[in-house]
Short mmCIF file of all heavy atoms in Angstrom, two decimals:
data_model
loop_
_atom_site.label_atom_id
_atom_site.label_comp_id
_atom_site.label_asym_id
_atom_site.label_seq_id
_atom_site.Cartn_x
_atom_site.Cartn_y
_atom_site.Cartn_z
N MET Z 1 8.39 -11.78 -6.70
CA MET Z 1 7.39 -10.71 -6.62
C MET Z 1 8.05 -9.41 -6.13
O MET Z 1 8.66 -9.42 -5.11
CB MET Z 1 6.29 -11.11 -5.74
CG MET Z 1 5.09 -10.13 -5.70
SD MET Z 1 3.56 -10.80 -4.87
CE MET Z 1 4.25 -11.16 -3.25
N SER Z 2 7.92 -8.39 -6.87
CA SER Z 2 8.57 -7.14 -6.52
C SER Z 2 7.54 -6.28 -5.64
O SER Z 2 6.41 -6.41 -5.74
CB SER Z 2 8.93 -6.35 -7.75
OG SER Z 2 7.75 -6.06 -8.53
N THR Z 3 8.18 -5.52 -4.83
CA THR Z 3 7.38 -4.62 -3.93
C THR Z 3 7.19 -3.28 -4.64
O THR Z 3 8.09 -2.58 -5.07
CB THR Z 3 8.06 -4.39 -2.62
OG1 THR Z 3 8.23 -5.65 -1.94
CG2 THR Z 3 7.27 -3.51 -1.73
N ILE Z 4 5.91 -2.88 -4.70
CA ILE Z 4 5.52 -1.70 -5.39
C ILE Z 4 5.54 -0.50 -4.43
O ILE Z 4 4.91 -0.60 -3.29
CB ILE Z 4 4.23 -1.81 -6.08
CG1 ILE Z 4 4.24 -2.91 -7.07
CG2 ILE Z 4 3.80 -0.53 -6.73
CD1 ILE Z 4 2.85 -3.44 -7.54
N ARG Z 5 6.16 0.54 -4.74
CA ARG Z 5 6.04 1.79 -3.91
C ARG Z 5 5.08 2.71 -4.57
O ARG Z 5 5.25 3.00 -5.75
CB ARG Z 5 7.42 2.43 -3.77
CG ARG Z 5 8.32 1.65 -2.76
CD ARG Z 5 9.76 2.08 -2.98
NE ARG Z 5 10.67 1.12 -2.31
CZ ARG Z 5 11.28 1.32 -1.19
NH1 ARG Z 5 11.06 2.43 -0.61
NH2 ARG Z 5 12.08 0.45 -0.70
N VAL Z 6 4.18 3.26 -3.80
CA VAL Z 6 3.25 4.26 -4.37
C VAL Z 6 3.50 5.53 -3.72
O VAL Z 6 3.72 5.63 -2.47
CB VAL Z 6 1.78 3.79 -4.21
CG1 VAL Z 6 1.45 2.64 -5.14
CG2 VAL Z 6 1.51 3.37 -2.76
N PRO Z 7 3.49 6.61 -4.47
CA PRO Z 7 3.72 8.00 -3.94
C PRO Z 7 2.74 8.35 -2.84
O PRO Z 7 3.02 9.17 -1.96
CB PRO Z 7 3.62 8.95 -5.13
CG PRO Z 7 2.99 8.15 -6.21
CD PRO Z 7 3.27 6.68 -5.97
N GLU Z 8 1.50 7.88 -2.95
CA GLU Z 8 0.47 8.17 -2.01
C GLU Z 8 0.77 7.57 -0.57
O GLU Z 8 0.27 8.09 0.42
CB GLU Z 8 -0.86 7.81 -2.47
CG GLU Z 8 -1.38 8.58 -3.68
CD GLU Z 8 -0.90 7.92 -4.99
OE1 GLU Z 8 -0.18 6.85 -4.89
OE2 GLU Z 8 -1.30 8.41 -6.02
N ALA Z 9 1.49 6.48 -0.63
CA ALA Z 9 1.74 5.75 0.67
C ALA Z 9 2.96 6.38 1.37
O ALA Z 9 4.09 5.94 1.06
CB ALA Z 9 1.91 4.30 0.38
N ASP Z 10 2.66 7.30 2.24
CA ASP Z 10 3.72 7.90 2.94
C ASP Z 10 3.48 7.77 4.45
O ASP Z 10 2.46 8.18 4.98
CB ASP Z 10 3.88 9.44 2.62
CG ASP Z 10 4.98 10.16 3.26
OD1 ASP Z 10 5.76 9.51 4.00
OD2 ASP Z 10 5.13 11.36 3.03
N ALA Z 11 4.34 7.06 5.14
CA ALA Z 11 4.10 6.76 6.55
C ALA Z 11 4.27 7.93 7.43
O ALA Z 11 3.86 7.91 8.56
CB ALA Z 11 5.03 5.62 6.98
N ALA Z 12 4.92 8.98 6.92
CA ALA Z 12 5.22 10.14 7.76
C ALA Z 12 3.94 10.81 8.16
O ALA Z 12 3.12 11.07 7.42
CB ALA Z 12 6.10 11.12 7.09
N GLY Z 13 3.84 11.10 9.50
CA GLY Z 13 2.72 11.86 10.03
C GLY Z 13 1.49 11.04 10.37
O GLY Z 13 0.54 11.52 10.90
N TRP Z 14 1.53 9.67 10.10
CA TRP Z 14 0.42 8.85 10.41
C TRP Z 14 0.62 8.16 11.70
O TRP Z 14 1.75 7.72 12.06
CB TRP Z 14 0.21 7.80 9.32
CG TRP Z 14 -0.27 8.36 8.01
CD1 TRP Z 14 0.51 8.50 6.88
CD2 TRP Z 14 -1.60 8.87 7.67
NE1 TRP Z 14 -0.26 9.13 5.83
CE2 TRP Z 14 -1.48 9.29 6.32
CE3 TRP Z 14 -2.82 8.91 8.34
CZ2 TRP Z 14 -2.62 9.79 5.64
CZ3 TRP Z 14 -3.88 9.37 7.68
CH2 TRP Z 14 -3.75 9.87 6.37
N ARG Z 15 -0.43 8.05 12.44
CA ARG Z 15 -0.42 7.33 13.74
C ARG Z 15 -1.46 6.33 13.73
O ARG Z 15 -2.55 6.49 13.15
CB ARG Z 15 -0.50 8.26 14.92
CG ARG Z 15 0.58 9.28 15.01
CD ARG Z 15 0.35 10.11 16.26
NE ARG Z 15 1.03 9.50 17.39
CZ ARG Z 15 2.31 9.63 17.68
NH1 ARG Z 15 3.13 10.31 16.89
NH2 ARG Z 15 2.82 9.05 18.75
N CYS Z 16 -1.21 5.16 14.49
CA CYS Z 16 -2.21 4.20 14.56
C CYS Z 16 -3.37 4.67 15.43
O CYS Z 16 -3.12 5.24 16.58
CB CYS Z 16 -1.65 2.89 15.17
SG CYS Z 16 -2.87 1.59 15.42
N ALA Z 17 -4.60 4.43 15.03
CA ALA Z 17 -5.71 4.89 15.80
C ALA Z 17 -5.89 4.06 17.10
O ALA Z 17 -6.47 4.54 18.06
CB ALA Z 17 -7.03 4.85 14.98
N CYS Z 18 -5.39 2.83 17.04
CA CYS Z 18 -5.53 1.94 18.23
C CYS Z 18 -4.42 2.16 19.24
O CYS Z 18 -4.64 2.31 20.45
CB CYS Z 18 -5.52 0.52 17.81
SG CYS Z 18 -6.68 0.06 16.48
N CYS Z 19 -3.16 2.10 18.81
CA CYS Z 19 -2.02 2.13 19.74
C CYS Z 19 -1.41 3.57 19.85
O CYS Z 19 -0.57 3.74 20.70
CB CYS Z 19 -0.95 1.19 19.37
SG CYS Z 19 -1.62 -0.20 18.32
N ASP Z 20 -1.73 4.43 18.94
CA ASP Z 20 -1.10 5.78 18.95
C ASP Z 20 0.37 5.67 18.75
O ASP Z 20 1.12 6.47 19.33
CB ASP Z 20 -1.47 6.51 20.21
CG ASP Z 20 -1.25 8.02 20.05
OD1 ASP Z 20 -1.52 8.58 18.99
OD2 ASP Z 20 -0.81 8.69 20.98
N CYS Z 21 0.82 4.77 17.97
CA CYS Z 21 2.26 4.72 17.70
C CYS Z 21 2.48 5.00 16.19
O CYS Z 21 1.53 4.97 15.36
CB CYS Z 21 2.85 3.34 17.95
SG CYS Z 21 2.07 1.97 17.15
N ASP Z 22 3.68 5.48 15.82
CA ASP Z 22 3.99 5.85 14.50
C ASP Z 22 3.84 4.71 13.52
O ASP Z 22 4.34 3.59 13.81
CB ASP Z 22 5.36 6.41 14.36
CG ASP Z 22 5.44 7.78 15.07
OD1 ASP Z 22 4.43 8.53 15.12
OD2 ASP Z 22 6.55 8.15 15.64
N LEU Z 23 3.28 4.93 12.34
CA LEU Z 23 3.24 3.83 11.34
C LEU Z 23 4.51 3.83 10.57
O LEU Z 23 5.21 4.83 10.39
CB LEU Z 23 2.08 4.19 10.35
CG LEU Z 23 0.64 4.27 10.99
CD1 LEU Z 23 -0.39 4.45 9.87
CD2 LEU Z 23 0.34 3.06 11.82
N VAL Z 24 4.88 2.61 10.13
CA VAL Z 24 6.08 2.45 9.33
C VAL Z 24 5.65 1.78 8.02
O VAL Z 24 4.69 1.05 7.98
CB VAL Z 24 7.13 1.59 10.06
CG1 VAL Z 24 7.64 2.31 11.31
CG2 VAL Z 24 6.52 0.20 10.44
N LEU Z 25 6.46 2.02 6.96
CA LEU Z 25 6.17 1.38 5.71
C LEU Z 25 6.45 -0.09 5.77
O LEU Z 25 7.59 -0.50 6.16
CB LEU Z 25 6.96 2.00 4.57
CG LEU Z 25 6.44 3.33 4.00
CD1 LEU Z 25 7.36 3.86 2.89
CD2 LEU Z 25 5.03 3.23 3.43
N ALA Z 26 5.50 -0.92 5.36
CA ALA Z 26 5.67 -2.38 5.35
C ALA Z 26 5.05 -2.96 4.09
O ALA Z 26 4.06 -2.43 3.66
CB ALA Z 26 5.02 -2.99 6.64
N PRO Z 27 5.68 -3.97 3.58
CA PRO Z 27 5.08 -4.65 2.42
C PRO Z 27 3.87 -5.36 2.84
O PRO Z 27 3.76 -6.19 3.68
CB PRO Z 27 6.24 -5.68 1.97
CG PRO Z 27 7.03 -5.82 3.12
CD PRO Z 27 6.90 -4.67 4.06
N VAL Z 28 2.72 -5.04 2.03
CA VAL Z 28 1.45 -5.58 2.28
C VAL Z 28 0.94 -6.29 1.01
O VAL Z 28 1.09 -5.73 -0.09
CB VAL Z 28 0.39 -4.53 2.68
CG1 VAL Z 28 -1.07 -5.11 2.88
CG2 VAL Z 28 0.84 -3.84 4.00
N GLU Z 29 0.55 -7.57 1.17
CA GLU Z 29 0.11 -8.24 -0.03
C GLU Z 29 -1.32 -7.87 -0.39
O GLU Z 29 -2.27 -7.94 0.47
CB GLU Z 29 0.19 -9.78 0.27
CG GLU Z 29 1.62 -10.22 0.19
CD GLU Z 29 1.77 -11.70 -0.17
OE1 GLU Z 29 0.85 -12.23 -0.78
OE2 GLU Z 29 2.81 -12.27 0.15
N LEU Z 30 -1.51 -7.58 -1.62
CA LEU Z 30 -2.85 -7.21 -2.14
C LEU Z 30 -3.20 -8.08 -3.33
O LEU Z 30 -2.30 -8.57 -3.99
CB LEU Z 30 -2.83 -5.74 -2.64
CG LEU Z 30 -2.61 -4.63 -1.67
CD1 LEU Z 30 -2.64 -3.29 -2.31
CD2 LEU Z 30 -3.70 -4.58 -0.55
N GLU Z 31 -4.46 -8.32 -3.49
CA GLU Z 31 -4.93 -9.01 -4.68
C GLU Z 31 -5.65 -7.99 -5.51
O GLU Z 31 -6.58 -7.31 -5.10
CB GLU Z 31 -5.87 -10.21 -4.39
CG GLU Z 31 -6.03 -11.09 -5.59
CD GLU Z 31 -6.91 -12.30 -5.25
OE1 GLU Z 31 -7.08 -12.62 -4.13
OE2 GLU Z 31 -7.51 -12.74 -6.21
N TYR Z 32 -5.25 -7.87 -6.74
CA TYR Z 32 -5.82 -6.87 -7.66
C TYR Z 32 -5.94 -7.41 -9.06
O TYR Z 32 -4.93 -7.88 -9.63
CB TYR Z 32 -4.93 -5.60 -7.66
CG TYR Z 32 -5.43 -4.42 -8.42
CD1 TYR Z 32 -6.56 -3.75 -7.99
CD2 TYR Z 32 -4.86 -4.14 -9.64
CE1 TYR Z 32 -7.07 -2.64 -8.67
CE2 TYR Z 32 -5.34 -3.03 -10.39
CZ TYR Z 32 -6.43 -2.29 -9.87
OH TYR Z 32 -6.90 -1.25 -10.60
N MET Z 33 -7.12 -7.49 -9.61
CA MET Z 33 -7.35 -8.06 -10.93
C MET Z 33 -6.82 -9.37 -11.12
O MET Z 33 -6.17 -9.74 -12.09
CB MET Z 33 -6.73 -7.05 -12.01
CG MET Z 33 -7.53 -5.70 -12.07
SD MET Z 33 -6.80 -4.47 -13.15
CE MET Z 33 -7.17 -5.21 -14.74
N GLY Z 34 -6.93 -10.19 -10.09
CA GLY Z 34 -6.55 -11.60 -10.17
C GLY Z 34 -5.04 -11.87 -9.87
O GLY Z 34 -4.66 -12.96 -9.97
N SER Z 35 -4.31 -10.80 -9.69
CA SER Z 35 -2.87 -10.97 -9.44
C SER Z 35 -2.53 -10.52 -8.03
O SER Z 35 -3.18 -9.69 -7.41
CB SER Z 35 -2.05 -10.16 -10.39
OG SER Z 35 -2.33 -10.63 -11.71
N HIS Z 36 -1.48 -11.18 -7.46
CA HIS Z 36 -1.05 -10.77 -6.15
C HIS Z 36 0.12 -9.82 -6.22
O HIS Z 36 1.04 -10.06 -7.05
CB HIS Z 36 -0.62 -12.00 -5.33
CG HIS Z 36 -1.84 -12.80 -4.93
ND1 HIS Z 36 -2.56 -12.60 -3.74
CD2 HIS Z 36 -2.48 -13.85 -5.54
CE1 HIS Z 36 -3.50 -13.43 -3.63
NE2 HIS Z 36 -3.52 -14.19 -4.79
N PHE Z 37 0.10 -8.81 -5.42
CA PHE Z 37 1.15 -7.81 -5.40
C PHE Z 37 1.56 -7.54 -4.00
O PHE Z 37 0.80 -7.65 -3.07
CB PHE Z 37 0.73 -6.49 -6.10
CG PHE Z 37 0.39 -6.66 -7.54
CD1 PHE Z 37 -0.96 -6.90 -7.89
CD2 PHE Z 37 1.38 -6.59 -8.44
CE1 PHE Z 37 -1.22 -7.04 -9.27
CE2 PHE Z 37 1.02 -6.72 -9.78
CZ PHE Z 37 -0.28 -6.98 -10.18
N SER Z 38 2.78 -7.10 -3.86
CA SER Z 38 3.24 -6.64 -2.56
C SER Z 38 3.46 -5.13 -2.73
O SER Z 38 4.19 -4.61 -3.59
CB SER Z 38 4.60 -7.32 -2.24
OG SER Z 38 5.03 -6.95 -0.96
N VAL Z 39 2.70 -4.41 -1.91
CA VAL Z 39 2.71 -2.95 -1.98
C VAL Z 39 3.17 -2.39 -0.57
O VAL Z 39 2.65 -2.82 0.41
CB VAL Z 39 1.35 -2.34 -2.43
CG1 VAL Z 39 1.38 -0.84 -2.49
CG2 VAL Z 39 0.85 -2.99 -3.63
N GLU Z 40 4.05 -1.43 -0.68
CA GLU Z 40 4.44 -0.84 0.58
C GLU Z 40 3.44 0.18 1.13
O GLU Z 40 3.15 1.19 0.41
CB GLU Z 40 5.78 -0.12 0.38
CG GLU Z 40 6.99 -1.12 0.35
CD GLU Z 40 8.30 -0.44 0.83
OE1 GLU Z 40 8.38 0.82 0.76
OE2 GLU Z 40 9.11 -1.22 1.29
N LEU Z 41 2.85 -0.07 2.26
CA LEU Z 41 1.83 0.74 2.84
C LEU Z 41 2.25 1.06 4.31
O LEU Z 41 2.88 0.23 4.93
CB LEU Z 41 0.48 0.15 2.76
CG LEU Z 41 -0.17 -0.17 1.39
CD1 LEU Z 41 -1.38 -0.87 1.48
CD2 LEU Z 41 -0.29 1.13 0.64
N PRO Z 42 1.74 2.18 4.77
CA PRO Z 42 2.00 2.51 6.23
C PRO Z 42 1.26 1.51 7.11
O PRO Z 42 0.05 1.40 6.95
CB PRO Z 42 1.40 3.93 6.34
CG PRO Z 42 1.33 4.50 4.95
CD PRO Z 42 1.03 3.31 4.07
N ALA Z 43 1.96 0.82 7.96
CA ALA Z 43 1.31 -0.15 8.86
C ALA Z 43 1.77 0.09 10.28
O ALA Z 43 2.90 0.60 10.55
CB ALA Z 43 1.70 -1.51 8.39
N CYS Z 44 0.98 -0.34 11.24
CA CYS Z 44 1.33 -0.19 12.62
C CYS Z 44 2.23 -1.40 13.05
O CYS Z 44 1.83 -2.59 12.83
CB CYS Z 44 0.06 -0.25 13.43
SG CYS Z 44 0.37 -0.24 15.28
N PRO Z 45 3.40 -1.16 13.59
CA PRO Z 45 4.28 -2.22 13.90
C PRO Z 45 3.75 -3.00 15.09
O PRO Z 45 4.21 -4.15 15.39
CB PRO Z 45 5.59 -1.56 14.32
CG PRO Z 45 5.19 -0.14 14.62
CD PRO Z 45 3.99 0.22 13.80
N GLN Z 46 2.85 -2.46 15.91
CA GLN Z 46 2.29 -3.15 17.13
C GLN Z 46 1.12 -4.02 16.81
O GLN Z 46 1.12 -5.21 17.05
CB GLN Z 46 1.92 -2.08 18.16
CG GLN Z 46 3.08 -1.79 19.08
CD GLN Z 46 2.66 -0.92 20.21
OE1 GLN Z 46 1.67 -1.17 20.87
NE2 GLN Z 46 3.48 0.10 20.49
N CYS Z 47 0.03 -3.45 16.18
CA CYS Z 47 -1.13 -4.27 15.96
C CYS Z 47 -1.27 -4.73 14.50
O CYS Z 47 -2.20 -5.52 14.18
CB CYS Z 47 -2.39 -3.49 16.46
SG CYS Z 47 -2.84 -2.13 15.41
N GLY Z 48 -0.48 -4.17 13.58
CA GLY Z 48 -0.53 -4.61 12.23
C GLY Z 48 -1.58 -3.95 11.38
O GLY Z 48 -1.79 -4.33 10.21
N ALA Z 49 -2.24 -2.92 11.95
CA ALA Z 49 -3.27 -2.29 11.19
C ALA Z 49 -2.63 -1.57 10.01
O ALA Z 49 -1.49 -0.96 10.15
CB ALA Z 49 -3.97 -1.24 12.05
N VAL Z 50 -3.22 -1.61 8.81
CA VAL Z 50 -2.62 -1.01 7.57
C VAL Z 50 -3.45 0.11 7.14
O VAL Z 50 -4.65 0.10 7.13
CB VAL Z 50 -2.57 -2.09 6.44
CG1 VAL Z 50 -2.03 -1.42 5.20
CG2 VAL Z 50 -1.73 -3.21 6.85
N LEU Z 51 -2.77 1.20 6.89
CA LEU Z 51 -3.40 2.38 6.38
C LEU Z 51 -3.45 2.32 4.87
O LEU Z 51 -2.39 2.20 4.17
CB LEU Z 51 -2.71 3.68 6.82
CG LEU Z 51 -3.39 4.93 6.32
CD1 LEU Z 51 -4.04 5.74 7.37
CD2 LEU Z 51 -2.40 5.77 5.47
N VAL Z 52 -4.58 2.33 4.27
CA VAL Z 52 -4.71 2.28 2.79
C VAL Z 52 -5.01 3.71 2.35
O VAL Z 52 -6.03 4.26 2.71
CB VAL Z 52 -5.89 1.35 2.32
CG1 VAL Z 52 -5.95 1.32 0.81
CG2 VAL Z 52 -5.59 -0.08 2.86
N PRO Z 53 -4.07 4.37 1.60
CA PRO Z 53 -4.31 5.75 1.24
C PRO Z 53 -5.52 5.86 0.26
O PRO Z 53 -5.83 4.88 -0.44
CB PRO Z 53 -3.07 6.11 0.43
CG PRO Z 53 -2.01 5.10 0.93
CD PRO Z 53 -2.79 3.87 1.25
N GLU Z 54 -6.23 6.88 0.32
CA GLU Z 54 -7.50 7.08 -0.27
C GLU Z 54 -7.47 6.74 -1.85
O GLU Z 54 -8.28 6.09 -2.36
CB GLU Z 54 -8.06 8.44 -0.10
CG GLU Z 54 -9.52 8.52 -0.40
CD GLU Z 54 -10.13 9.90 0.07
OE1 GLU Z 54 -10.36 10.01 1.28
OE2 GLU Z 54 -10.34 10.68 -0.80
N PRO Z 55 -6.35 7.19 -2.56
CA PRO Z 55 -6.30 6.87 -3.98
C PRO Z 55 -6.29 5.39 -4.17
O PRO Z 55 -6.82 4.92 -5.21
CB PRO Z 55 -5.01 7.55 -4.45
CG PRO Z 55 -4.79 8.57 -3.44
CD PRO Z 55 -5.29 8.08 -2.08
N LEU Z 56 -5.59 4.67 -3.28
CA LEU Z 56 -5.57 3.18 -3.44
C LEU Z 56 -6.94 2.53 -3.11
O LEU Z 56 -7.40 1.67 -3.83
CB LEU Z 56 -4.52 2.55 -2.55
CG LEU Z 56 -3.05 2.80 -2.85
CD1 LEU Z 56 -2.15 1.85 -2.06
CD2 LEU Z 56 -2.86 2.51 -4.38
N ALA Z 57 -7.54 3.02 -2.09
CA ALA Z 57 -8.85 2.54 -1.67
C ALA Z 57 -9.88 2.75 -2.79
O ALA Z 57 -10.81 2.03 -2.92
CB ALA Z 57 -9.29 3.20 -0.34
N LEU Z 58 -9.69 3.79 -3.56
CA LEU Z 58 -10.62 4.16 -4.69
C LEU Z 58 -10.25 3.35 -5.89
O LEU Z 58 -10.91 3.49 -6.95
CB LEU Z 58 -10.56 5.65 -4.93
CG LEU Z 58 -11.12 6.52 -3.81
CD1 LEU Z 58 -10.89 7.98 -4.15
CD2 LEU Z 58 -12.61 6.33 -3.61
N GLY Z 59 -9.22 2.57 -5.87
CA GLY Z 59 -8.87 1.72 -6.98
C GLY Z 59 -7.99 2.32 -8.01
O GLY Z 59 -7.74 1.79 -9.08
N LYS Z 60 -7.41 3.53 -7.65
CA LYS Z 60 -6.52 4.14 -8.67
C LYS Z 60 -5.15 3.62 -8.43
O LYS Z 60 -4.19 4.33 -7.87
CB LYS Z 60 -6.54 5.65 -8.46
CG LYS Z 60 -7.92 6.28 -8.82
CD LYS Z 60 -7.88 7.81 -8.61
CE LYS Z 60 -9.24 8.38 -8.82
NZ LYS Z 60 -9.28 9.79 -8.35
N MET Z 61 -4.97 2.43 -8.81
CA MET Z 61 -3.63 1.86 -8.62
C MET Z 61 -2.85 1.84 -9.91
O MET Z 61 -2.64 0.84 -10.57
CB MET Z 61 -3.80 0.39 -8.04
CG MET Z 61 -4.43 0.40 -6.68
SD MET Z 61 -4.62 -1.21 -5.99
CE MET Z 61 -2.89 -1.64 -5.64
N ALA Z 62 -2.46 3.03 -10.34
CA ALA Z 62 -1.80 3.20 -11.62
C ALA Z 62 -0.53 2.36 -11.71
O ALA Z 62 -0.28 1.82 -12.74
CB ALA Z 62 -1.55 4.76 -11.84
N GLU Z 63 0.25 2.35 -10.66
CA GLU Z 63 1.49 1.59 -10.67
C GLU Z 63 1.22 0.16 -10.91
O GLU Z 63 1.90 -0.46 -11.65
CB GLU Z 63 2.26 1.83 -9.37
CG GLU Z 63 2.93 3.19 -9.23
CD GLU Z 63 1.91 4.25 -8.76
OE1 GLU Z 63 0.74 3.91 -8.55
OE2 GLU Z 63 2.30 5.39 -8.68
N VAL Z 64 0.20 -0.39 -10.28
CA VAL Z 64 -0.15 -1.78 -10.44
C VAL Z 64 -0.62 -2.05 -11.85
O VAL Z 64 -0.18 -3.06 -12.49
CB VAL Z 64 -1.20 -2.23 -9.38
CG1 VAL Z 64 -1.63 -3.67 -9.68
CG2 VAL Z 64 -0.66 -2.02 -7.99
N GLU Z 65 -1.51 -1.15 -12.36
CA GLU Z 65 -1.98 -1.40 -13.68
C GLU Z 65 -0.85 -1.34 -14.72
O GLU Z 65 -0.80 -2.12 -15.72
CB GLU Z 65 -3.02 -0.31 -14.02
CG GLU Z 65 -4.33 -0.60 -13.33
CD GLU Z 65 -5.29 0.55 -13.41
OE1 GLU Z 65 -5.09 1.44 -14.31
OE2 GLU Z 65 -6.31 0.50 -12.70
N LYS Z 66 0.08 -0.43 -14.48
CA LYS Z 66 1.26 -0.36 -15.39
C LYS Z 66 2.00 -1.70 -15.42
O LYS Z 66 2.40 -2.24 -16.45
CB LYS Z 66 2.28 0.73 -14.85
CG LYS Z 66 2.23 1.95 -15.83
CD LYS Z 66 3.30 2.96 -15.33
CE LYS Z 66 2.72 3.98 -14.54
NZ LYS Z 66 3.70 4.73 -13.75
N LEU Z 67 2.18 -2.25 -14.24
CA LEU Z 67 2.87 -3.53 -14.10
C LEU Z 67 2.11 -4.61 -14.86
O LEU Z 67 2.81 -5.45 -15.55
CB LEU Z 67 2.95 -3.89 -12.60
CG LEU Z 67 4.24 -4.66 -12.18
CD1 LEU Z 67 5.17 -3.64 -11.61
CD2 LEU Z 67 3.87 -5.62 -11.04
N LEU Z 68 0.83 -4.63 -14.80
CA LEU Z 68 0.03 -5.60 -15.47
C LEU Z 68 0.19 -5.48 -16.99
O LEU Z 68 0.26 -6.48 -17.71
CB LEU Z 68 -1.43 -5.52 -15.11
CG LEU Z 68 -1.82 -6.08 -13.70
CD1 LEU Z 68 -3.26 -5.70 -13.37
CD2 LEU Z 68 -1.65 -7.57 -13.61
N GLU Z 69 0.17 -4.26 -17.43
CA GLU Z 69 0.29 -4.03 -18.90
C GLU Z 69 1.64 -4.52 -19.47
O GLU Z 69 1.74 -4.88 -20.60
CB GLU Z 69 0.10 -2.54 -19.22
CG GLU Z 69 -1.37 -2.11 -19.07
CD GLU Z 69 -1.55 -0.57 -19.03
OE1 GLU Z 69 -0.56 0.11 -19.32
OE2 GLU Z 69 -2.61 -0.11 -18.80
N ASP Z 70 2.62 -4.47 -18.61
CA ASP Z 70 3.98 -4.80 -19.11
C ASP Z 70 4.08 -6.33 -19.38
O ASP Z 70 5.00 -6.77 -20.06
CB ASP Z 70 5.01 -4.40 -18.04
CG ASP Z 70 5.26 -2.85 -18.09
OD1 ASP Z 70 4.78 -2.23 -19.07
OD2 ASP Z 70 5.89 -2.36 -17.16
N LYS Z 71 3.20 -7.10 -18.85
CA LYS Z 71 3.28 -8.50 -18.96
C LYS Z 71 2.84 -9.05 -20.29
O LYS Z 71 2.03 -8.42 -20.95
CB LYS Z 71 2.44 -9.22 -17.86
CG LYS Z 71 3.31 -9.21 -16.58
CD LYS Z 71 2.42 -9.91 -15.47
CE LYS Z 71 3.14 -9.83 -14.13
NZ LYS Z 71 2.35 -10.18 -12.99
ZN1 ZN Q 1 -1.70 -0.20 16.25
#
């Protein structure tokens, strides 16, 4: 399983709302259209909270859809 990088997921400038520490990019497993993917998203190294960028939350996962079409 390859890790997908999305341009919207940029850890720079984000802080965890709980711990106030800097977020780092970490592979997060997502299920999308019946398939599992590993996507790099900004996550808190302390509590594990994951920031889902708005375009992803809205379902605009163009990179993932491209991957599905290639199969
Ligand atoms: Zn945290």
